[in-house]
Amino acid sequence: MHQLCLQQTVVGLDVGWYDGCDFGPAPSGYEQRTGDVRDVRPDELAGLDAVVNLAGKNVNCRATKANRLAILKSRLNSVRALAEAVRRCSVPPAVW
């Protein structure tokens, strides 16, 4: 995420920071939103250039059947929630 923030100056993007996970503190000078990505509202995405979804269960765990299923579900559920929010957006992000 820090790399994405650094690149914003190169390509001229306005980068925000939606932190529902523990990536550490947001770099200074960036808007920070907190919460669960599955609860994101369309108005929070309206007008953004892009959305990068890094949500999901940590893969640093034993590869049990239950953990593999939890990892898969965590990614599918976050993408479904974002897709619905983007679909309902008045000005959807160009890329997500």
Side-chain angles (χ1 to χ4, degrees):
M1 186 56 87
H2 290 277
Q3 184 64 31
L4 182 63
C5 293
L6 291 174
Q7 289 183 3
Q8 68 94 21
T9 57
V10 176
V11 295
L13 297 176
D14 182 18
V15 175
W17 186 273
Y18 195 94
D19 188 9
C21 300
D22 186 16
F23 291 118
S28 61
Y30 295 95
E31 176 185 353
Q32 181 172 6
R33 301 173 188 168
T34 58
D36 191 318
V37 70
R38 294 170 296 183
D39 298 328
V40 69
R41 297 184 322 266
D43 61 289
E44 294 177 303
L45 303 178
L48 296 180
D49 294 308
V51 173
V52 178
N53 180 23
L54 302 176
K57 175 177 170 45
N58 190 325
V59 297
N60 187 18
C61 59
R62 290 187 175 267
T64 65
K65 186 174 182 176
N67 281 337
R68 288 193 307 267
L69 183 60
I71 290 167
L72 177 63
K73 283 184 176 181
S74 70
R75 279 146 181 79
L76 290 175
N77 291 339
S78 65
V79 169
R80 285 180 180 138
L82 282 172
E84 179 60 21
V86 168
R87 187 186 68 74
R88 295 179 20 222
C89 224
S90 59
V91 182
V95 177
W96 71 278

Coordinates of all heavy atoms in Angstrom, one line a residue:
M1 N 0.8 -1.2 0.0 CA 0.0 0.0 0.0 C 0.9 1.2 0.0 O 0.5 2.2 -0.6 CB -0.9 0.0 1.2 CG -1.9 1.1 1.2 SD -2.9 1.2 -0.3 CE -4.3 0.2 0.1
H2 N 2.0 1.2 0.7 CA 2.8 2.3 0.7 C 3.4 2.6 -0.7 O 3.5 3.8 -1.1 CB 4.0 2.1 1.7 CG 3.6 2.2 3.1 ND1 3.4 3.4 3.8 CD2 3.2 1.2 4.0 CE1 3.0 3.1 5.0 NE2 2.9 1.8 5.2
Q3 N 3.7 1.6 -1.5 CA 4.1 1.8 -2.8 C 3.0 2.5 -3.7 O 3.4 3.3 -4.4 CB 4.4 0.4 -3.5 CG 5.0 0.5 -4.9 CD 6.3 1.2 -4.9 OE1 7.1 1.1 -4.0 NE2 6.6 1.9 -6.0
L4 N 1.8 2.1 -3.5 CA 0.7 2.8 -4.2 C 0.7 4.3 -3.8 O 0.5 5.1 -4.7 CB -0.6 2.1 -3.9 CG -1.9 2.7 -4.5 CD1 -1.8 2.5 -6.1 CD2 -3.1 2.0 -4.0
C5 N 0.8 4.6 -2.6 CA 0.9 6.0 -2.1 C 2.0 6.7 -2.7 O 1.9 7.9 -3.1 CB 0.9 6.0 -0.6 SG -0.6 5.4 0.2
L6 N 3.2 6.1 -2.8 CA 4.3 6.7 -3.4 C 4.1 7.0 -4.9 O 4.5 8.0 -5.4 CB 5.6 5.9 -3.2 CG 6.1 5.7 -1.8 CD1 7.3 4.7 -1.8 CD2 6.6 7.1 -1.3
Q7 N 3.4 6.1 -5.6 CA 3.2 6.3 -7.0 C 2.2 7.4 -7.4 O 2.2 7.8 -8.5 CB 2.8 5.0 -7.7 CG 3.9 4.0 -7.7 CD 3.5 2.7 -8.4 OE1 2.4 2.5 -8.9 NE2 4.5 1.7 -8.4
Q8 N 1.4 7.8 -6.4 CA 0.4 8.8 -6.7 C 1.0 10.1 -7.2 O 0.5 10.8 -8.0 CB -0.5 9.0 -5.5 CG 0.2 9.7 -4.3 CD 0.0 11.2 -4.3 OE1 -0.9 11.7 -4.9 NE2 0.9 11.9 -3.6
T9 N 2.2 10.4 -6.7 CA 2.9 11.6 -7.2 C 3.4 11.5 -8.6 O 3.5 12.5 -9.3 CB 4.1 12.0 -6.3 OG1 5.0 10.9 -6.2 CG2 3.6 12.3 -4.9
V10 N 3.7 10.3 -9.0 CA 4.3 10.0 -10.4 C 3.1 10.1 -11.4 O 3.3 10.8 -12.5 CB 4.9 8.7 -10.5 CG1 5.4 8.4 -11.9 CG2 6.1 8.6 -9.5
V11 N 2.0 9.5 -11.1 CA 0.9 9.5 -12.1 C -0.2 10.5 -11.8 O -1.2 10.6 -12.6 CB 0.3 8.1 -12.3 CG1 1.4 7.2 -12.9 CG2 -0.2 7.6 -11.0
G12 N -0.1 11.2 -10.7 CA -1.1 12.3 -10.4 C -2.4 11.8 -9.9 O -3.4 12.4 -10.1
L13 N -2.4 10.6 -9.2 CA -3.7 10.1 -8.6 C -3.8 10.6 -7.2 O -2.9 10.9 -6.5 CB -3.6 8.6 -8.6 CG -3.6 7.9 -9.9 CD1 -3.5 6.4 -9.7 CD2 -4.8 8.2 -10.8
D14 N -5.1 10.8 -6.8 CA -5.4 11.1 -5.4 C -5.6 9.8 -4.7 O -6.6 9.1 -4.9 CB -6.6 12.0 -5.4 CG -7.0 12.5 -4.0 OD1 -6.1 12.4 -3.1 OD2 -8.1 12.9 -3.8
V15 N -4.7 9.5 -3.8 CA -4.8 8.2 -3.1 C -5.4 8.4 -1.7 O -4.9 9.2 -0.9 CB -3.4 7.6 -3.0 CG1 -3.4 6.3 -2.2 CG2 -2.8 7.3 -4.4
G16 N -6.3 7.5 -1.4 CA -6.9 7.5 0.0 C -6.4 6.2 0.6 O -5.8 5.4 0.0
W17 N -6.8 6.0 1.8 CA -6.4 4.8 2.6 C -7.6 4.3 3.3 O -8.0 4.9 4.3 CB -5.3 5.3 3.5 CG -4.6 4.2 4.3 CD1 -5.0 3.7 5.5 CD2 -3.4 3.6 3.9 NE1 -4.1 2.8 5.9 CE2 -3.1 2.7 5.0 CE3 -2.5 3.6 2.9 CZ2 -1.9 1.9 5.0 CZ3 -1.4 2.8 2.9 CH2 -1.1 2.0 3.9
Y18 N -8.2 3.1 2.9 CA -9.3 2.5 3.6 C -8.7 1.4 4.4 O -8.4 0.3 3.8 CB -10.4 2.1 2.6 CG -11.7 1.8 3.3 CD1 -12.7 2.7 3.3 CD2 -11.9 0.5 3.8 CE1 -13.9 2.5 3.9 CE2 -13.1 0.3 4.4 CZ -14.1 1.2 4.5 OH -15.3 1.0 5.1
D19 N -8.6 1.5 5.7 CA -7.9 0.5 6.5 C -8.9 -0.3 7.3 O -9.3 0.1 8.4 CB -6.9 1.2 7.4 CG -6.0 0.3 8.1 OD1 -6.0 -0.9 7.8 OD2 -5.2 0.7 9.0
G20 N -9.2 -1.5 6.9 CA -9.9 -2.4 7.7 C -9.0 -3.5 8.2 O -9.4 -4.4 8.9
C21 N -7.8 -3.5 7.8 CA -6.8 -4.5 8.2 C -5.6 -3.8 8.9 O -5.6 -2.6 9.0 CB -6.3 -5.2 7.0 SG -7.6 -6.1 6.1
D22 N -4.7 -4.5 9.4 CA -3.6 -3.9 10.1 C -2.4 -3.8 9.1 O -1.4 -4.6 9.2 CB -3.2 -4.8 11.3 CG -2.1 -4.1 12.1 OD1 -1.9 -2.9 12.0 OD2 -1.5 -4.8 13.0
F23 N -2.4 -2.8 8.3 CA -1.3 -2.4 7.5 C -0.4 -1.4 8.2 O 0.5 -0.9 7.6 CB -1.7 -1.8 6.1 CG -2.4 -2.8 5.2 CD1 -3.7 -2.7 4.9 CD2 -1.7 -4.0 4.8 CE1 -4.3 -3.6 4.0 CE2 -2.3 -4.9 4.0 CZ -3.6 -4.7 3.6
G24 N -0.7 -1.1 9.4 CA 0.0 0.0 10.1 C -0.7 1.3 9.9 O -1.7 1.4 9.2
P25 N -0.1 2.4 10.4 CA -0.7 3.7 10.2 C -0.7 4.1 8.8 O 0.3 3.8 8.1 CB 0.1 4.6 11.2 CG 1.4 3.9 11.3 CD 1.1 2.4 11.2
A26 N -1.7 4.9 8.4 CA -1.7 5.5 7.1 C -0.5 6.5 7.0 O -0.2 7.2 7.9 CB -3.0 6.1 6.8
P27 N 0.1 6.6 5.8 CA 1.1 7.6 5.6 C 0.5 9.0 5.8 O -0.7 9.2 5.5 CB 1.6 7.4 4.2 CG 1.2 6.0 3.8 CD -0.1 5.7 4.6
S28 N 1.3 9.9 6.4 CA 0.7 11.2 6.6 C 0.3 11.9 5.3 O 0.9 11.7 4.3 CB 1.7 12.1 7.4 OG 2.9 12.2 6.6
G29 N -0.7 12.7 5.4 CA -1.1 13.5 4.2 C -2.2 12.7 3.3 O -2.5 13.2 2.3
Y30 N -2.6 11.6 3.8 CA -3.6 10.8 3.0 C -4.9 10.7 3.8 O -4.9 10.5 5.0 CB -3.1 9.4 2.7 CG -1.9 9.5 1.7 CD1 -0.6 9.4 2.2 CD2 -2.1 9.6 0.4 CE1 0.5 9.5 1.4 CE2 -1.0 9.6 -0.5 CZ 0.3 9.6 0.0 OH 1.3 9.6 -0.8
E31 N -6.0 10.8 3.1 CA -7.3 10.6 3.8 C -7.4 9.1 4.2 O -7.0 8.2 3.5 CB -8.4 10.8 2.8 CG -9.8 10.6 3.4 CD -10.9 10.8 2.3 OE1 -10.6 11.2 1.2 OE2 -12.0 10.4 2.7
Q32 N -7.8 8.9 5.4 CA -8.0 7.5 6.0 C -9.4 7.3 6.3 O -10.0 8.1 7.0 CB -7.1 7.3 7.2 CG -7.2 5.9 7.7 CD -6.2 5.6 8.8 OE1 -5.5 6.4 9.2 NE2 -6.1 4.3 9.2
R33 N -9.9 6.1 5.9 CA -11.2 5.7 6.2 C -11.0 4.3 6.9 O -10.2 3.5 6.5 CB -12.1 5.5 5.0 CG -12.3 6.8 4.2 CD -13.0 6.5 2.9 NE -13.0 7.7 2.1 CZ -13.3 7.7 0.8 NH1 -13.7 6.6 0.2 NH2 -13.2 8.8 0.2
T34 N -11.8 4.1 7.9 CA -11.7 2.8 8.6 C -13.0 2.1 8.6 O -14.1 2.7 8.5 CB -11.3 3.0 10.1 OG1 -12.2 3.8 10.8 CG2 -9.9 3.6 10.2
G35 N -13.0 0.8 8.7 CA -14.1 0.0 8.7 C -14.0 -1.3 7.9 O -12.9 -1.6 7.4
D36 N -15.0 -2.0 7.8 CA -15.0 -3.3 7.0 C -15.4 -3.0 5.6 O -16.4 -2.4 5.3 CB -16.0 -4.2 7.7 CG -15.9 -5.6 7.1 OD1 -15.7 -5.8 5.9 OD2 -16.0 -6.6 7.9
V37 N -14.6 -3.5 4.6 CA -14.8 -3.2 3.2 C -16.1 -3.7 2.8 O -16.7 -3.2 1.8 CB -13.6 -3.7 2.4 CG1 -13.7 -5.2 2.3 CG2 -13.7 -3.2 1.0
R38 N -16.7 -4.7 3.5 CA -18.0 -5.2 3.1 C -19.1 -4.2 3.4 O -20.2 -4.4 3.0 CB -18.2 -6.6 3.8 CG -17.3 -7.7 3.3 CD -17.4 -8.9 4.2 NE -16.9 -8.5 5.5 CZ -16.8 -9.4 6.5 NH1 -17.1 -10.6 6.4 NH2 -16.4 -9.0 7.7
D39 N -18.8 -3.2 4.2 CA -19.8 -2.2 4.5 C -19.6 -0.9 3.8 O -20.2 0.1 4.1 CB -19.7 -1.9 6.1 CG -20.0 -3.1 6.9 OD1 -20.8 -3.9 6.5 OD2 -19.4 -3.2 8.0
V40 N -18.8 -0.9 2.8 CA -18.5 0.3 2.0 C -19.8 0.8 1.3 O -20.6 0.0 0.8 CB -17.3 0.1 1.0 CG1 -17.7 -0.8 -0.1 CG2 -16.8 1.5 0.5
R41 N -20.0 2.1 1.3 CA -21.2 2.7 0.6 C -20.8 3.2 -0.7 O -19.6 3.7 -0.9 CB -21.7 3.8 1.5 CG -22.2 3.4 2.9 CD -22.8 4.5 3.7 NE -22.1 5.8 3.5 CZ -21.2 6.3 4.3 NH1 -20.8 5.6 5.4 NH2 -20.6 7.4 4.1
P42 N -21.7 3.3 -1.7 CA -21.4 3.8 -3.0 C -20.9 5.2 -3.0 O -20.0 5.5 -3.8 CB -22.8 3.7 -3.7 CG -23.5 2.6 -3.0 CD -23.1 2.7 -1.6
D43 N -21.4 6.1 -2.1 CA -20.9 7.4 -2.1 C -19.4 7.5 -1.6 O -18.8 8.5 -1.9 CB -21.8 8.3 -1.1 CG -21.8 7.8 0.3 OD1 -22.4 6.8 0.6 OD2 -21.2 8.5 1.1
E44 N -18.9 6.5 -1.0 CA -17.5 6.5 -0.6 C -16.6 6.2 -1.8 O -15.4 6.5 -1.7 CB -17.2 5.5 0.5 CG -17.9 5.8 1.8 CD -17.7 4.8 2.9 OE1 -18.0 3.6 2.6 OE2 -17.2 5.1 4.0
L45 N -17.1 5.6 -2.8 CA -16.4 5.2 -4.0 C -16.6 6.2 -5.1 O -15.8 6.2 -6.1 CB -16.7 3.8 -4.4 CG -16.6 2.7 -3.4 CD1 -17.1 1.4 -4.0 CD2 -15.2 2.6 -3.0
A46 N -17.6 7.0 -5.1 CA -18.0 7.9 -6.2 C -16.8 8.8 -6.5 O -16.3 9.5 -5.6 CB -19.2 8.7 -5.9
G47 N -16.5 8.9 -7.8 CA -15.4 9.8 -8.2 C -14.0 9.4 -8.1 O -13.1 10.1 -8.5
L48 N -13.8 8.2 -7.4 CA -12.4 7.7 -7.3 C -11.8 7.3 -8.6 O -12.6 6.8 -9.5 CB -12.3 6.6 -6.3 CG -12.7 6.8 -4.9 CD1 -12.6 5.6 -4.1 CD2 -11.9 7.9 -4.3
D49 N -10.5 7.4 -8.8 CA -9.9 7.0 -10.0 C -9.8 5.4 -10.1 O -10.1 4.8 -11.1 CB -8.5 7.5 -10.1 CG -8.4 9.0 -10.3 OD1 -9.1 9.5 -11.2 OD2 -7.7 9.6 -9.5
A50 N -9.5 4.8 -8.9 CA -9.4 3.4 -8.9 C -9.6 2.9 -7.4 O -9.5 3.6 -6.5 CB -8.0 3.0 -9.3
V51 N -10.0 1.6 -7.3 CA -10.1 1.0 -6.1 C -9.2 -0.3 -6.1 O -9.3 -1.1 -7.1 CB -11.5 0.5 -5.8 CG1 -11.6 -0.3 -4.5 CG2 -12.4 1.8 -5.6
V52 N -8.3 -0.5 -5.1 CA -7.5 -1.6 -5.0 C -7.9 -2.4 -3.7 O -7.9 -1.8 -2.6 CB -6.0 -1.2 -4.9 CG1 -5.1 -2.5 -4.7 CG2 -5.6 -0.4 -6.1
N53 N -8.4 -3.6 -3.9 CA -8.9 -4.4 -2.8 C -7.8 -5.3 -2.3 O -7.4 -6.2 -3.0 CB -10.1 -5.2 -3.3 CG -10.7 -6.0 -2.2 OD1 -10.5 -5.7 -1.0 ND2 -11.4 -7.1 -2.5
L54 N -7.4 -5.1 -1.1 CA -6.4 -6.0 -0.5 C -7.0 -6.8 0.7 O -6.3 -7.3 1.5 CB -5.2 -5.2 0.0 CG -4.4 -4.4 -1.1 CD1 -3.3 -3.6 -0.4 CD2 -3.9 -5.3 -2.1
A55 N -8.3 -6.8 0.8 CA -9.0 -7.4 2.0 C -9.0 -8.9 1.8 O -9.0 -9.5 0.8 CB -10.4 -6.9 2.0
G56 N -8.9 -9.5 3.0 CA -9.0 -11.0 3.0 C -8.3 -11.5 4.2 O -7.5 -10.9 4.8
K57 N -8.7 -12.8 4.6 CA -8.0 -13.5 5.7 C -6.5 -13.6 5.4 O -6.1 -13.9 4.3 CB -8.7 -14.8 5.9 CG -8.0 -15.7 6.9 CD -8.7 -17.0 7.1 CE -8.0 -18.0 8.0 NZ -7.4 -17.5 9.2
N58 N -5.7 -13.5 6.4 CA -4.3 -13.6 6.3 C -4.0 -15.0 5.9 O -4.5 -16.0 6.4 CB -3.7 -13.3 7.7 CG -2.2 -13.2 7.6 OD1 -1.5 -13.9 6.9 ND2 -1.6 -12.4 8.4
V59 N -3.1 -15.2 4.9 CA -2.7 -16.5 4.4 C -1.6 -17.2 5.2 O -1.2 -18.3 4.9 CB -2.3 -16.5 2.9 CG1 -3.5 -16.0 2.1 CG2 -1.1 -15.6 2.7
N60 N -1.1 -16.5 6.2 CA -0.1 -17.0 7.1 C -0.7 -17.9 8.2 O -0.8 -17.6 9.3 CB 0.7 -15.9 7.7 CG 1.9 -16.4 8.5 OD1 2.4 -17.5 8.3 ND2 2.4 -15.5 9.4
C61 N -1.2 -19.1 7.7 CA -1.9 -20.0 8.6 C -1.7 -21.4 8.0 O -1.3 -21.6 6.9 CB -3.3 -19.7 8.8 SG -4.3 -19.6 7.3
R62 N -2.0 -22.4 8.8 CA -1.9 -23.8 8.3 C -2.9 -23.9 7.1 O -4.0 -23.4 7.2 CB -2.3 -24.8 9.4 CG -1.2 -24.8 10.5 CD -1.6 -26.0 11.4 NE -0.5 -26.2 12.4 CZ 0.5 -27.1 12.2 NH1 0.5 -27.8 11.1 NH2 1.4 -27.2 13.1
A63 N -2.6 -24.7 6.2 CA -3.4 -24.9 5.0 C -4.4 -26.0 5.2 O -4.5 -27.0 4.5 CB -2.5 -25.3 3.8
T64 N -5.2 -25.8 6.3 CA -6.3 -26.8 6.5 C -7.5 -26.5 5.6 O -7.6 -25.4 5.0 CB -6.8 -26.7 8.0 OG1 -7.4 -25.4 8.2 CG2 -5.6 -26.9 9.0
K65 N -8.4 -27.5 5.5 CA -9.5 -27.3 4.6 C -10.3 -26.0 5.1 O -10.8 -25.2 4.3 CB -10.4 -28.5 4.7 CG -11.6 -28.5 3.7 CD -12.3 -29.8 3.7 CE -13.5 -29.8 2.7 NZ -14.1 -31.1 2.6
A66 N -10.5 -25.9 6.4 CA -11.3 -24.8 7.0 C -10.6 -23.5 6.7 O -11.3 -22.5 6.3 CB -11.4 -25.0 8.5
N67 N -9.3 -23.4 6.8 CA -8.6 -22.1 6.5 C -8.6 -21.8 5.1 O -8.8 -20.6 4.7 CB -7.1 -22.2 7.0 CG -7.0 -22.0 8.5 OD1 -7.8 -21.4 9.1 ND2 -5.9 -22.5 9.1
R68 N -8.4 -22.8 4.2 CA -8.5 -22.5 2.8 C -9.9 -22.0 2.4 O -10.0 -21.0 1.6 CB -8.2 -23.8 2.0 CG -6.7 -24.1 2.0 CD -6.4 -25.2 1.0 NE -7.2 -26.4 1.0 CZ -6.9 -27.5 1.7 NH1 -5.8 -27.5 2.4 NH2 -7.7 -28.5 1.7
L69 N -10.9 -22.5 3.0 CA -12.3 -22.1 2.7 C -12.5 -20.7 3.2 O -13.1 -19.8 2.6 CB -13.3 -23.0 3.3 CG -14.8 -22.7 3.1 CD1 -15.1 -22.7 1.6 CD2 -15.7 -23.7 3.8
A70 N -12.0 -20.4 4.4 CA -12.1 -19.0 5.0 C -11.4 -18.0 4.2 O -11.9 -16.9 4.0 CB -11.6 -19.0 6.5
I71 N -10.2 -18.4 3.6 CA -9.4 -17.4 2.8 C -10.2 -17.2 1.5 O -10.4 -16.0 1.1 CB -8.1 -18.0 2.5 CG1 -7.2 -18.0 3.7 CG2 -7.4 -17.3 1.3 CD1 -5.9 -18.9 3.6
L72 N -10.8 -18.2 0.9 CA -11.6 -18.0 -0.3 C -12.8 -17.2 -0.1 O -13.0 -16.2 -0.8 CB -12.0 -19.4 -0.9 CG -12.9 -19.3 -2.1 CD1 -12.1 -18.7 -3.3 CD2 -13.3 -20.7 -2.5
K73 N -13.5 -17.5 1.0 CA -14.8 -16.7 1.3 C -14.4 -15.3 1.6 O -15.2 -14.4 1.2 CB -15.5 -17.4 2.5 CG -16.3 -18.6 2.1 CD -17.0 -19.1 3.3 CE -17.9 -20.3 2.9 NZ -18.7 -20.7 4.1
S74 N -13.3 -15.0 2.3 CA -13.0 -13.6 2.7 C -12.7 -12.8 1.4 O -13.1 -11.6 1.4 CB -11.8 -13.6 3.6 OG -10.6 -14.0 3.0
R75 N -12.2 -13.4 0.4 CA -11.9 -12.6 -0.8 C -13.1 -12.5 -1.6 O -13.4 -11.4 -2.2 CB -10.8 -13.3 -1.6 CG -9.4 -12.9 -1.0 CD -8.4 -14.0 -1.1 NE -7.1 -13.6 -0.5 CZ -6.9 -13.5 0.8 NH1 -7.8 -13.9 1.7 NH2 -5.7 -13.2 1.2
L76 N -13.9 -13.5 -1.7 CA -15.2 -13.4 -2.5 C -16.1 -12.4 -1.9 O -16.8 -11.7 -2.6 CB -15.8 -14.8 -2.6 CG -15.1 -15.9 -3.5 CD1 -15.8 -17.2 -3.4 CD2 -15.0 -15.4 -4.9
N77 N -16.3 -12.5 -0.6 CA -17.2 -11.6 0.0 C -16.8 -10.1 -0.1 O -17.7 -9.3 -0.3 CB -17.4 -11.9 1.5 CG -18.1 -13.3 1.7 OD1 -18.8 -13.7 0.8 ND2 -17.9 -13.9 2.9
S78 N -15.6 -9.8 0.0 CA -15.1 -8.4 -0.2 C -15.3 -7.9 -1.6 O -15.8 -6.8 -1.8 CB -13.7 -8.2 0.3 OG -12.8 -8.9 -0.5
V79 N -15.0 -8.8 -2.6 CA -15.2 -8.4 -4.0 C -16.7 -8.2 -4.3 O -17.1 -7.3 -5.0 CB -14.5 -9.4 -4.9 CG1 -14.9 -9.2 -6.4 CG2 -13.0 -9.4 -4.8
R80 N -17.5 -9.1 -3.8 CA -19.0 -9.0 -4.0 C -19.5 -7.7 -3.5 O -20.3 -7.0 -4.1 CB -19.7 -10.2 -3.4 CG -19.5 -11.4 -4.2 CD -20.3 -12.6 -3.6 NE -20.1 -13.8 -4.4 CZ -19.9 -15.0 -3.9 NH1 -19.8 -15.1 -2.6 NH2 -19.7 -16.0 -4.7
A81 N -19.1 -7.3 -2.3 CA -19.5 -6.1 -1.6 C -19.0 -4.9 -2.4 O -19.8 -3.9 -2.7 CB -19.0 -6.0 -0.2
L82 N -17.8 -4.9 -2.9 CA -17.3 -3.8 -3.7 C -18.0 -3.7 -5.0 O -18.3 -2.6 -5.5 CB -15.8 -3.9 -3.9 CG -14.9 -3.5 -2.8 CD1 -13.4 -3.9 -3.1 CD2 -15.0 -2.0 -2.5
A83 N -18.3 -4.8 -5.6 CA -19.0 -4.9 -6.9 C -20.3 -4.2 -6.8 O -20.8 -3.4 -7.7 CB -19.1 -6.3 -7.5
E84 N -21.1 -4.6 -5.7 CA -22.4 -4.0 -5.5 C -22.3 -2.5 -5.3 O -23.1 -1.7 -5.8 CB -23.1 -4.7 -4.3 CG -24.4 -4.2 -4.0 CD -25.4 -4.3 -5.2 OE1 -25.2 -5.1 -6.1 OE2 -26.4 -3.5 -5.2
A85 N -21.3 -2.0 -4.5 CA -21.2 -0.6 -4.2 C -20.8 0.1 -5.5 O -21.3 1.2 -5.8 CB -20.1 -0.4 -3.2
V86 N -19.9 -0.4 -6.3 CA -19.5 0.2 -7.6 C -20.7 0.2 -8.5 O -21.0 1.2 -9.2 CB -18.4 -0.6 -8.3 CG1 -18.2 -0.1 -9.7 CG2 -17.1 -0.3 -7.4
R87 N -21.5 -0.8 -8.6 CA -22.7 -0.9 -9.4 C -23.7 0.2 -9.1 O -24.3 0.8 -9.9 CB -23.4 -2.2 -9.3 CG -24.5 -2.5 -10.3 CD -25.3 -3.8 -10.0 NE -26.0 -3.8 -8.8 CZ -27.2 -3.1 -8.6 NH1 -27.7 -2.4 -9.5 NH2 -27.8 -3.2 -7.4
R88 N -23.8 0.5 -7.8 CA -24.8 1.6 -7.3 C -24.2 3.0 -7.3 O -24.8 3.9 -6.9 CB -25.3 1.2 -6.0 CG -26.1 -0.1 -6.0 CD -26.6 -0.6 -4.6 NE -26.7 0.4 -3.6 CZ -26.3 0.2 -2.4 NH1 -25.8 -0.9 -2.0 NH2 -26.4 1.2 -1.5
C89 N -22.9 3.1 -7.7 CA -22.2 4.4 -7.6 C -22.7 5.4 -8.7 O -22.9 5.0 -9.8 CB -20.7 4.1 -7.9 SG -19.6 4.9 -6.8
S90 N -22.9 6.6 -8.3 CA -23.3 7.7 -9.2 C -22.2 7.9 -10.3 O -22.4 8.1 -11.4 CB -23.6 8.9 -8.5 OG -22.5 9.4 -7.8
V91 N -20.9 8.0 -9.8 CA -19.8 8.1 -10.7 C -18.8 7.0 -10.3 O -17.9 7.2 -9.4 CB -19.1 9.5 -10.5 CG1 -17.9 9.7 -11.4 CG2 -20.1 10.6 -10.7
P92 N -18.9 5.9 -10.9 CA -18.1 4.7 -10.4 C -16.6 4.9 -10.7 O -16.2 5.7 -11.7 CB -18.6 3.6 -11.2 CG -19.3 4.1 -12.4 CD -19.8 5.5 -12.0
P93 N -15.7 4.3 -10.0 CA -14.3 4.3 -10.2 C -14.0 3.8 -11.6 O -14.7 2.9 -12.1 CB -13.7 3.4 -9.2 CG -14.7 3.3 -8.1 CD -16.0 3.5 -8.8
A94 N -13.0 4.4 -12.3 CA -12.7 3.9 -13.7 C -12.1 2.5 -13.7 O -12.3 1.7 -14.6 CB -11.7 4.9 -14.3
V95 N -11.4 2.2 -12.6 CA -10.8 0.9 -12.5 C -11.0 0.4 -11.1 O -10.8 1.1 -10.1 CB -9.2 1.0 -12.7 CG1 -8.5 -0.3 -12.6 CG2 -9.0 1.6 -14.1
W96 N -11.3 -0.9 -11.0 CA -11.3 -1.5 -9.7 C -11.1 -3.0 -9.8 O -11.2 -3.6 -10.8 CB -12.7 -1.2 -9.0 CG -13.9 -1.9 -9.5 CD1 -14.6 -1.5 -10.6 CD2 -14.5 -3.1 -9.1 NE1 -15.6 -2.4 -10.8 CE2 -15.6 -3.4 -9.9 CE3 -14.2 -4.0 -8.0 CZ2 -16.4 -4.5 -9.7 CZ3 -15.0 -5.1 -7.9 CH2 -16.1 -5.3 -8.7

